[in-house]
Amino acid sequence: MTDLLYSEAESDLRAAVRSLLTDRAGPAELPARVEDGTPCDPDLWSALATGIGAAGLLVPEKLGGQGAGHREAAVVLEELGRAVTPVPYLTSSVVATETLLALDAGELRGAGELLGDLAAGRKVAVLAVPFTTGPAADPAVGPVAVADAGPVPAVADAVLADVLLVPRPDGLYAVDAADARIEPRVPLDLTRPLATVTLTGSGTGAAPGTRIADADTARAAVRRGLLAGAGLLASEQLGVAEWCLEEAVRHTRERHQFNRPVGSFQALKHRMAQLWLEVAGARAAARNAADALATGSAEAPLAVAVAQAYCSRVAVRAAEECVQLHGGIGMTWEHPAHLYLKRAKADQLALGSAGHHKDTLAALVDLRPPVTPEARQR
């Protein structure tokens, strides 16, 4: 049976991560760091990855990790979403790590040292595919994107990476980031950098780097990495939505008009109550996806598709409501609400749009589109 509740260990992990982020990366300080062009704090990433050990949660202890699982990683992502923290956790500690873990024993030996470095926070790796690439739960739905020889646009956190995992038609390659041209782009979400990656090679010909998997293994591994990323992204979206709802309630409770808190007006209470219900639903969907991934359930692709189709919409709506309910102050650069709205909008397209996941969901449950009158006549 799916367990949607948080264990004591998960609650302790949440408290540790939240305490760290409150001390080192509160939302109030973030706009200034974004304006300086240095949103990612290497010391904060080191404290999170090494001090708390969050980077190795998905990695078994025998490979140098913490031997935890997707439920614990989901808790970390909820907290990172609550603070829109600019660290490469989703891309390196989830997508890239999960991709490496999917390699079989023989190929994993070749990537074992890299996996240990990722788990210890010594290196950052990213999967060199566009951040919009979604998992393909079924080959009939659509192929997993494979990087071709040309530039790869919109690779998330590539500017922070030490190693690029490059899927090519003949396999998966680990490429030193120094052997690639990484051109930063201006993203909508200023807390998650995007870049165009072009492999420049280092004398190794058309396939630079070290080949760590053959074509079939690479395809399955990339698919698993993207599936885990999409499933746990729902927890980040949940964190975004929770912060926005709590901040909207706090502000409308403190803001007075006509000698009353504006939050006491029935129209606003109804809006926030409806949003609370939607956030509660998002929590259930996100926890279900994390639990399905943790247990290796055959229903994991279904749970991930449901979570993404629902949570991405809730996060955007919560952020929009947060901005609106703050009135004029919500529109200013100094207030962090705009960072949450941008993260929510960017997450809505990351690792597959809501439409992509709805199509996946329809295919998994054999739900066929309605037949139009024109098609019926044919």
Side-chain angles (χ1 to χ4, degrees):
M1 177 180 293
T2 301
D3 182 5
L4 301 182
L5 302 178
Y6 298 97
S7 68
E8 185 176 346
E10 290 165 3
S11 297
D12 290 343
L13 175 62
R14 177 194 303 284
V17 175
R18 185 174 296 188
S19 176
L20 173 67
L21 299 183
T22 301
D23 291 342
R24 305 277 292 273
E29 292 80 24
L30 194 52
R33 291 191 60 84
V34 169
E35 194 166 21
D36 290 342
T38 57
C40 184
D41 179 358
D43 292 336
L44 172 64
W45 170 242
S46 177
L48 178 69
T50 308
I52 294 180
L57 288 175
L58 293 178
V59 181
E61 289 182 274
K62 64 181 181 182
L63 297 175
Q66 306 301 319
H70 300 80
R71 291 175 57 94
E72 289 80 4
V75 169
V76 173
L77 279 164
E78 284 181 30
E79 293 307 307
L80 296 179
R82 286 180 64 89
V84 285
T85 312
V87 293
Y89 189 81
L90 177 68
T91 49
S92 182
S93 303
V94 176
V95 177
T97 296
E98 190 80 0
T99 300
L100 292 173
L101 286 171
L103 305 183
D104 63 34
E107 290 165 319
L108 184 56
R109 280 197 293 272
E113 184 178 351
L114 173 58
L115 199 51
D117 287 339
L118 299 186
R122 290 188 291 269
K123 288 185 178 178
V124 170
V126 301
L127 185 63
V129 298
F131 197 39
T132 53
T133 305
D138 187 307
V141 176
V144 173
V146 176
D148 204 344
V152 184
V155 179
D157 291 331
V159 295
L160 305 172
D162 301 292
V163 178
L164 303 168
L165 300 181
V166 182
R168 294 175 61 88
D170 61 334
L172 182 66
Y173 289 77
V175 179
D176 193 314
D179 290 334
R181 186 169 67 250
I182 299 174
E183 302 170 90
R185 299 297 187 217
V186 179
L188 172 65
D189 174 13
L190 298 173
T191 62
R192 180 169 278 149
L194 299 178
T196 297
V197 174
T198 305
L199 301 181
T200 55
S202 59
T204 51
T210 303
R211 186 172 182 260
I212 57 176
D214 62 30
D216 291 340
T217 305
R219 184 172 291 273
V222 170
R223 184 173 297 161
R224 175 173 155 179
L226 294 174
L227 182 68
L232 298 188
L233 176 63
S235 293
E236 179 180 293
Q237 292 164 325
L238 170 63
V240 169
E242 286 182 333
W243 184 91
C244 291
L245 175 59
E246 292 172 12
E247 181 64 16
V249 171
R250 183 199 63 75
H251 178 76
T252 56
R253 183 182 290 154
E254 295 177 356
R255 173 75 170 162
H256 283 63
Q257 195 171 46
F258 306 117
N259 206 29
R260 291 176 56 187
V262 296
S264 66
F265 293 107
Q266 192 173 43
L268 298 191
K269 285 196 289 188
H270 284 183
R271 284 170 64 171
M272 287 182 278
Q274 177 60 36
L275 188 56
W276 185 90
L277 290 173
E278 294 179 21
V279 171
R283 184 178 303 109
R287 292 299 293 168
N288 183 53
D291 191 76
L293 290 166
T295 57
S297 169
E299 300 285 322
L302 183 66
V304 169
V306 170
Q308 269 304 305
Y310 189 74
C311 293
S312 60
R313 183 186 64 79
V314 172
V316 170
R317 213 180 83 75
E320 289 175 342
E321 284 287 76
C322 183
V323 171
Q324 289 292 325
L325 292 173
H326 271 75
I329 192 174
M331 309 293 179
T332 63
W333 175 267
E334 288 76 12
H335 196 281
H338 67 95
L339 295 175
Y340 286 82
L341 180 56
K342 291 167 183 171
R343 172 66 69 92
K345 293 293 288 183
D347 280 358
Q348 196 173 35
L349 298 176
L351 298 168
S353 65
H356 166 91
H357 291 287
K358 287 177 181 176
D359 288 344
T360 301
L361 178 60
L364 289 172
V365 299
D366 195 23
L367 179 63
R368 299 178 182 178
V371 179
T372 62
E374 293 78 9
R376 192 177 291 114
Q377 289 175 358
R378 290 198 296 269

